[in-house]
Amino acid sequence: MGVTLKDVAERAGVSRSAVSRTFTDGASVSAKTRSKVEKAASELGYAPNALASSLTTGRTKMIGLIANNFHNPLILEVFDLFTRGLQDRGLRPLLVNLSDATDPADSVRMLRQYSVDGVIVASSTLPSSFALAFKAAGLPVVHAFGRYATAPDVHVVGIDNVACGRMAAEALVQRGYGRVAFLGGPRSATSTQDRVAGFLGALAGCPEVHVSASYASAYTFDAGRTEMQQLLQDTPAEAYFCGDDLLAVGALSAIHEAGLSVPGDIGLIGLNDMEMARWQMIGLTTIRQPVAQIIDAAIALVVSTIEDPGRPPETRLFPCRVVERQTLRALP
């Protein structure tokens, strides 16, 4: 049988309530008592029961971490940073896969069953209705990688996708490309809508540049490869802004399979700067999204909202930048 709170109390010569207070955040206990309890617990190999503690404090210290695009390797980087960031703050992540979810109410019911203290939606493709449903249920919520809004309904942490689209357009124009195109993810994704809007808007004042747009079925390697294979059957653009690194890697594969070179025949620029983009055999020129900063800010916001549920929603945006590698022409 495992070591109990009673065993620690007897070893330390204190009451069971003193042991409980020692392991309860914010509870009042003298330094002398704390020292005795911690020493006894160490000698006995005792660890407090987190679930039992939640019954006393009313908090589980669990944060629901919601995502839906598990086919994209970037989500592994996101989960790694999120889980470590939460655990470093004494919190526990509850990972939830909403890849096939269509009803926000189902997600709310599931998270309520686990009595999570807060929710972080880590997705640029889930509709805002999911984050709003969690808020309506009284759960502190932050939408990481969500859509920029000047007056948000929930906390949003991410990037200005319209600005990223403009950044990509400027990068291609600076390199002298005359026929450029956008290769995006699903049309329904707000990230796709904003990136193409910024891209096309920046090129509206460049009549000498021919521009077009196409859309893949998902933010996946296969979707990017399939879409580029179709584009290559006609007259392809000289360079493509792919709305996600994984789409760009899929496009790169299709271009090479067609016997063409990058950037000799076709140039590519992606978005995210995921780990794969840095691999030597890929070397993707891309727009870096500061994922680690976004995640750290999202965790800080959900923690502060748990402590202050009346905190007004805010938007925090982080700047992006072009990372030069080997899939675009060199600057003149």
Side-chain angles (χ1 to χ4, degrees):
M1 186 174 178
V3 179
T4 66
L5 182 145
K6 179 182 177 182
D7 297 330
V8 176
E10 291 176 350
R11 172 67 70 93
V14 301
S15 67
R16 279 182 281 185
S17 64
V19 177
S20 178
R21 291 196 306 275
T22 297
F23 293 110
T24 300
D25 292 341
S28 176
V29 62
S30 70
K32 181 178 179 180
T33 297
R34 181 180 298 278
S35 177
K36 290 165 65 176
V37 170
E38 289 178 345
K39 182 174 183 293
S42 176
E43 291 171 350
L44 294 172
Y46 171 80
N49 187 311
L51 295 178
S53 176
S54 71
L55 297 177
T56 303
T57 63
R59 290 187 177 176
T60 61
K61 295 188 176 181
M62 282 200 297
I63 304 297
L65 183 53
I66 311 299
N68 65 328
N69 190 5
F70 280 68
H71 296 291
N72 195 321
L74 180 65
I75 202 65
L76 298 179
E77 296 180 43
V78 169
F79 277 167
D80 177 50
L81 291 167
F82 260 127
T83 53
R84 285 194 284 126
L86 290 169
Q87 289 165 185
D88 287 347
R89 290 170 171 84
L91 302 170
R92 294 184 293 277
L94 175 67
L95 303 184
V96 180
N97 183 347
L98 295 188
S99 293
D100 299 319
T102 57
D103 186 358
D106 291 339
S107 306
V108 171
R109 282 192 292 270
M110 178 175 60
L111 289 176
R112 275 183 158 172
Q113 289 175 353
Y114 291 96
S115 300
V116 296
D117 290 338
V119 179
I120 296 173
V121 179
S123 172
S124 65
T125 56
L126 274 176
S128 60
S129 56
F130 280 83
L132 290 172
F134 297 132
K135 180 182 179 180
L139 290 169
V141 59
V142 176
H143 194 167
F145 310 102
R147 192 176 205 176
Y148 164 71
T150 54
D153 295 313
V154 300
H155 296 303
V156 175
V157 182
I159 61 174
D160 185 339
N161 282 298
V162 175
C164 286
R166 289 196 296 264
M167 193 178 300
E170 291 164 3
L172 299 186
V173 170
Q174 288 168 357
R175 288 161 176 78
Y177 289 109
R179 295 195 320 279
V180 302
F182 175 76
L183 196 170
R187 288 177 183 265
S188 60
T190 59
S191 53
T192 300
Q193 296 165 11
D194 290 346
R195 290 166 191 175
V196 70
F199 186 72
L200 298 178
L203 294 167
C206 302
E208 73 281 6
V209 178
H210 179 270
V211 60
S212 59
S214 62
Y215 302 87
S217 60
Y219 280 123
T220 64
F221 171 89
D222 287 338
R225 180 171 172 270
T226 298
E227 186 63 26
M228 180 54 72
Q229 286 173 333
Q230 294 174 352
L231 292 168
L232 291 174
Q233 292 176 11
D234 199 351
T235 302
E238 296 175 333
Y240 289 85
F241 166 41
C242 299
D244 178 88
D245 285 350
L246 201 55
L247 290 175
V249 175
L252 179 67
S253 174
I255 293 167
H256 285 163
E257 286 175 353
L260 301 173
S261 68
V262 175
D265 295 307
I266 296 176
L268 295 174
I269 181 171
L271 193 153
N272 276 330
D273 196 24
M274 62 190 295
E275 182 181 357
M276 188 186 299
R278 307 163 212 162
W279 293 357
Q280 186 176 3
M281 71 281 289
I282 294 175
L284 180 67
T285 296
T286 187
I287 296 171
R288 175 174 291 167
Q289 179 172 206
V291 172
Q293 290 176 271
I294 291 170
I295 290 170
D296 189 64
I299 293 173
L301 263 179
V302 79
V303 169
S304 66
T305 306
I306 291 169
E307 299 298 330
D308 179 14
R311 178 173 182 152
E314 65 177 275
T315 297
R316 295 186 186 178
L317 295 182
F318 291 87
C320 298
R321 66 181 180 86
V322 174
V323 178
E324 301 280 354
R325 293 199 180 94
Q326 61 197 44
T327 57
L328 286 183
R329 295 173 184 166
L331 284 165

